[in-house]
Amino acid sequence: MLEIYFPIAQVYINVLILIFISAIIGFLAGLLGIGGGFLMTPMLIFLGIPPIYAVANGSSNILAASVSGALAHYFKNQIDIKMGILISIGGLLGSIVGVEIFIFFLGKGRIDKVISILYFVLLSFVGLAMLIESVREVIRIRNKRFIRRKLHKHYWVHNLPFKIRIHASMLYISVIPLIFFGFGIGLLSSLMGVGGGFILVPVLIYIIGMPARLVPGTSLFIGIFIMFVVTLLHAIQNNTMDIYLIICLAIGSVFGAQIGSKLSSKVAGEELRTILSILILIFGLKFGYEIFFKSILPAMQITTLKVEASKLPYLTNLVVEFFKNFPTTYSLISILLVILISVTISYAMKKLIQ
């Protein structure tokens, strides 16, 4: 009854279901300090949207959730701006390289397989490692086995040259690992349509040594810059941005991210990491099931259909024509619209939740 046609992705989807799913994922994004792409992009693929469209439009959803979640954490003074900018520099470089790799495999007709393999390997490995660590930590705390620890452990990355002082996180660290990790996050983001938070969050906690309270907001702050570039490059070079789809995703994810960010300080860090690890592992195993058994478990029926222009509403026809004739302008307007929706709803929610 509430199905509408998304003309660029060429699918019919129930709008309420789409907004509900994006709201749940946005909630988890705000709660855990991740962009939510490791959930949203696979979900779009499982719903029947071709991966090339899922990556581009999923990226825009991560951008919306990142803007909304970062604003919520900024209001609570829980973002390390300096750390975020340094990592974002590497992220921007990695995003550019990643999009070129994406286009290469797209031309070879292998991008679907590459995306599935990347999700299976990375999500399964990271999810399992985080689950083991977080369960051990929960058991230790419940058994009241408290041990004295340093503020953070020192690894070889802390001994590299070009050190700077980052006052908010109370760190004295080289810029090399920050740019390096940012590059890797940007590379994965552009290839997989994810914000990279599922990798960045444990890196910031366990390797960089940031205070846990600053990690969610800083991760989302970094996601804004990386996902802006990823979304823009995918939209311009691959012409895959569907403005109807990104509006629905943005509305749901922004509302969810605001609520999740509000609750993040009330949930123990060990519990957050356990929830995150389980979610990551589930989605990784689901991609493995797809690869090895050639089957996806669909959540609902999605109809893929190319509708003739004469049968489309007048406004939709205008959107399609504008998309065909001015793809770069169309992409920029779509991304700016996502940011506008995010900022508007974030400020409105701030007033309501206070």
Side-chain angles (χ1 to χ4, degrees):
M1 180 175 63
L2 292 173
E3 283 193 345
I4 67 170
Y5 182 66
F6 296 86
I8 310 304
Q10 299 178 8
V11 294
Y12 278 101
I13 301 180
N14 186 298
V15 177
L16 291 182
I17 293 177
L18 189 64
I19 292 177
F20 175 75
I21 291 174
S22 64
I24 295 298
I25 294 174
F27 171 78
L28 294 172
L31 182 69
L32 301 171
I34 55 177
F38 77 95
L39 293 171
M40 191 70 250
T41 303
M43 185 62 71
L44 293 177
I45 294 173
F46 295 152
L47 294 180
I49 296 176
I52 186 174
Y53 293 100
V55 168
N57 291 281
S59 298
S60 71
N61 179 72
I62 304 165
L63 177 60
S66 297
V67 171
S68 177
L71 281 172
H73 285 283
Y74 176 76
F75 297 145
K76 296 186 291 184
N77 195 29
Q78 293 180 347
I79 296 180
D80 188 329
I81 302 292
K82 188 174 183 179
M83 176 75 77
I85 291 174
L86 290 171
I87 295 178
S88 295
I89 292 173
L92 299 181
L93 296 174
S95 300
I96 295 172
V97 174
V99 169
E100 292 301 319
I101 296 174
F102 185 98
I103 293 172
F104 171 79
F105 282 108
L106 179 63
K108 297 290 184 180
R110 298 177 181 175
I111 192 61
D112 292 9
K113 194 72 173 179
V114 170
I115 291 173
S116 295
I117 292 174
L118 283 173
Y119 268 110
F120 169 59
V121 173
L122 287 175
L123 297 187
S124 299
F125 175 77
V126 173
L128 183 60
M130 286 183 61
L131 180 61
I132 293 173
E133 189 279 336
S134 58
V135 169
R136 285 177 177 173
E137 190 70 7
V138 169
I139 293 174
R140 182 187 65 80
I141 292 175
R142 287 184 177 178
N143 291 336
K144 298 182 179 181
R145 293 200 305 267
F146 297 102
I147 56 177
R148 180 174 294 180
R149 293 178 175 176
K150 295 181 180 179
L151 182 62
H152 59 84
K153 294 181 180 180
H154 282 266
Y155 300 98
W156 61 271
V157 296
H158 294 89
N159 298 320
L160 294 173
F162 306 110
K163 288 187 175 183
I164 60 171
R165 211 168 282 282
I166 303 179
H167 297 285
S169 294
M170 297 180 289
L171 291 173
Y172 184 55
I173 190 171
S174 168
V175 298
I176 295 176
L178 304 182
I179 294 177
F180 173 79
F181 288 128
F183 183 90
I185 297 300
L187 189 68
L188 292 177
S189 297
S190 53
L191 285 173
M192 301 169 65
V194 299
F198 67 95
I199 293 179
L200 182 58
V201 168
V203 165
L204 292 176
I205 293 174
Y206 300 117
I207 298 180
I208 302 300
M210 281 187 65
R213 68 179 184 85
L214 296 177
V215 170
T218 304
S219 174
L220 292 169
F221 176 73
I222 294 167
I224 294 174
F225 297 98
I226 294 178
M227 297 320 298
F228 179 87
V229 173
V230 169
T231 304
L232 182 61
L233 291 177
H234 272 298
I236 293 175
Q237 298 197 37
N238 300 323
N239 295 327
T240 49
M241 184 74 73
D242 192 311
I243 195 168
Y244 288 1
L245 181 56
I246 66 171
I247 289 174
C248 293
L249 294 176
I251 291 173
S253 63
V254 171
F255 273 110
Q258 286 293 306
I259 297 173
S261 298
K262 185 69 175 179
L263 297 176
S264 63
S265 60
K266 300 179 180 179
V267 182
E270 295 75 23
E271 296 175 359
L272 288 178
R273 291 196 291 273
T274 302
I275 295 170
L276 177 58
S277 63
I278 292 173
L279 288 172
I280 292 173
L281 187 57
I282 288 173
F283 274 78
L285 294 176
K286 195 165 187 179
F287 270 96
Y289 182 86
E290 175 194 352
I291 294 170
F292 295 110
F293 296 96
K294 306 297 182 183
S295 175
I296 296 179
L297 304 178
M300 66 187 74
Q301 293 295 322
I302 298 293
T303 304
T304 303
L305 180 65
K306 186 173 184 178
V307 178
E308 295 180 7
S310 59
K311 296 181 180 180
L312 292 175
Y314 177 73
L315 180 60
T316 302
N317 263 321
L318 286 180
V319 171
V320 173
E321 288 301 315
F322 188 73
F323 166 77
K324 291 179 180 178
N325 296 324
F326 308 100
T328 301
T329 305
Y330 170 89
S331 301
L332 284 171
I333 291 175
S334 300
I335 294 172
L336 291 175
L337 183 60
V338 167
I339 296 175
L340 178 62
I341 291 172
S342 302
V343 173
T344 302
I345 296 179
S346 297
Y347 274 98
M349 292 287 287
K350 178 177 182 291
K351 299 296 182 182
L352 291 174
I353 295 178
Q354 277 182 340

